């Protein structure tokens, strides 16, 4: 089983989902994507997670991000569980859930960690860019629900730094100052970042976030 690393092309696959069959790359199109696995249907933490993702659809849409979930349960199980999610979380599930009964996608993305559980997927998250490259990988144990505010934060950072020569510092949030790439000479900063900049150390220069009006 090949290990997926940052910068690799996200492996393509065909799969059955609650919204019909998809070819992953075709489904993504020109969008960014989040592929995230959950250990099993009808489980408490997963129910809260999928409900949260449904409520965040507008935020994902703003960022041109498509979301798809996965577990090794079947379509009928998924469809029944969606009713529970909608009822208990006060929302409507508005994204596809992959039925990976043969574990093809789980194994392709190394989502089953035998020392944690030999059958169920861990809570894997893959953020995939519009170039189909893997930009972020986070893995949580089954007992820990994911923080989707953090996922939005890192997507903001990934999209910003993909198109501007900056990096985001610790605890950065959208709208805050960013770090100028060390590859840019200090004398070149004013022409590239006309909003201004601050030199804290020769290697640590900050500037207002460049993609905000």
């Amino acid at each position: 089983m090949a290990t997926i690393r940052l910068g690799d092309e996200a492996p393509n696959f065909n799969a059955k989902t609650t919204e019909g069959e998809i070819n992953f790359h075709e489904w993504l199109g020109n969008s960014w994507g989040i592929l995230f696995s959950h250990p099993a249907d009808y489980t408490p933490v997963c129910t809260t997670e999928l409900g949260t993702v449904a409520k965040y659809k507008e935020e994902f849409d703003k960022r041109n991000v498509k979301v798809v979930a996965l577990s090794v349960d079947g379509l009928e199980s998924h469809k029944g569980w969606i009713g529970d999610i909608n009822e208990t979380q006060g929302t409507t599930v508005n994204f596809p859930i992959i039925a990976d009964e043969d574990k093809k996608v789980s194994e392709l993305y190394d989502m089953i960690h035998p020392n944690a559980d030999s059958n169920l997927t861990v809570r894997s998250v893959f953020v995939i860019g519009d170039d189909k490259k893997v930009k972020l990988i986070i893995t949580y144990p089954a007992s820990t629900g994911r923080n989707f505010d953090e996922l939005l934060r890192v997507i903001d950072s990934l999209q910003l730094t993909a198109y501007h020569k900056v990096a985001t510092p610790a605890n950065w949030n959208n709208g805050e100052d960013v770090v100028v790439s060390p590859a840019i000479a200090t004398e070149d900063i004013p022409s590239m970042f006309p909003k201004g900049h601050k030199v804290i150390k020769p290697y640590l220069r900050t500037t207002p976030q460049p993609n905000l009006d």
Side-chain angles (χ1 to χ4, degrees):
M1 185 185 302
T3 299
I4 298 174
R5 295 185 172 93
L6 299 184
D8 289 351
E9 182 175 277
N12 195 22
F13 57 84
N14 295 308
K16 293 179 180 178
T17 83
T18 50
E19 296 185 0
E21 283 203 37
I22 65 168
N23 173 281
F24 187 49
H25 282 190
E26 291 178 4
W27 177 79
L28 282 173
N30 295 319
S31 299
W32 286 60
I34 293 177
L35 169 63
F36 72 106
S37 58
H38 55 273
D41 296 355
Y42 296 103
T43 52
V45 175
C46 301
T47 299
T48 65
E49 287 191 323
L50 271 67
T52 299
V53 171
K55 292 174 183 176
Y56 278 37
K57 179 172 170 50
E58 186 176 325
E59 293 299 324
F60 289 123
D61 286 348
K62 282 181 194 173
R63 295 160 173 84
N64 188 33
V65 176
K66 290 183 174 181
V67 179
V68 58
L70 172 150
S71 87
V72 296
D73 293 308
L75 276 182
E76 290 309 308
S77 175
H78 285 350
K79 289 175 181 177
W81 182 40
I82 284 172
D84 283 3
I85 296 169
N86 294 344
E87 175 192 345
T88 63
Q89 304 303 303
T91 189
T92 300
V93 171
N94 44 30
F95 54 89
I97 307 173
I98 294 168
D100 192 36
E101 289 181 282
D102 59 5
K103 302 179 184 175
K104 177 182 169 185
V105 180
S106 304
E107 291 174 355
L108 191 62
Y109 278 80
D110 196 20
M111 293 172 167
I112 295 177
H113 295 193
N115 289 329
D117 192 299
S118 58
N119 293 309
L120 304 180
T121 54
V122 291
R123 296 187 194 282
S124 297
V125 181
F126 293 86
V127 175
I128 297 154
D130 53 5
D131 57 0
K132 307 295 188 294
K133 299 290 179 66
V134 176
K135 305 297 183 184
L136 178 81
I137 303 169
I138 310 177
T139 302
Y140 297 76
S143 57
T144 301
R146 283 162 281 211
N147 185 326
F148 290 95
D149 288 322
E150 169 63 4
L151 276 182
L152 289 175
R153 189 190 78 87
V154 295
I155 288 168
D156 287 338
S157 173
L158 290 166
Q159 293 184 340
L160 170 65
T161 58
Y163 306 116
H164 298 275
K165 293 182 178 179
V166 297
T168 55
N171 293 337
W172 175 87
N173 283 293
N174 194 34
E176 297 176 352
D177 286 0
V178 296
V179 175
V180 178
S181 169
I184 298 173
T186 298
E187 58 268 24
D188 294 333
I189 294 177
S191 62
M192 298 184 70
F193 300 102
K195 292 181 181 179
H197 69 281
K198 185 185 299 182
V199 178
I200 300 166
K201 289 286 184 181
Y203 59 86
L204 178 56
R205 294 87 44 90
T206 61
T207 188
Q209 185 172 327
N211 63 345
L212 294 181
D213 296 330

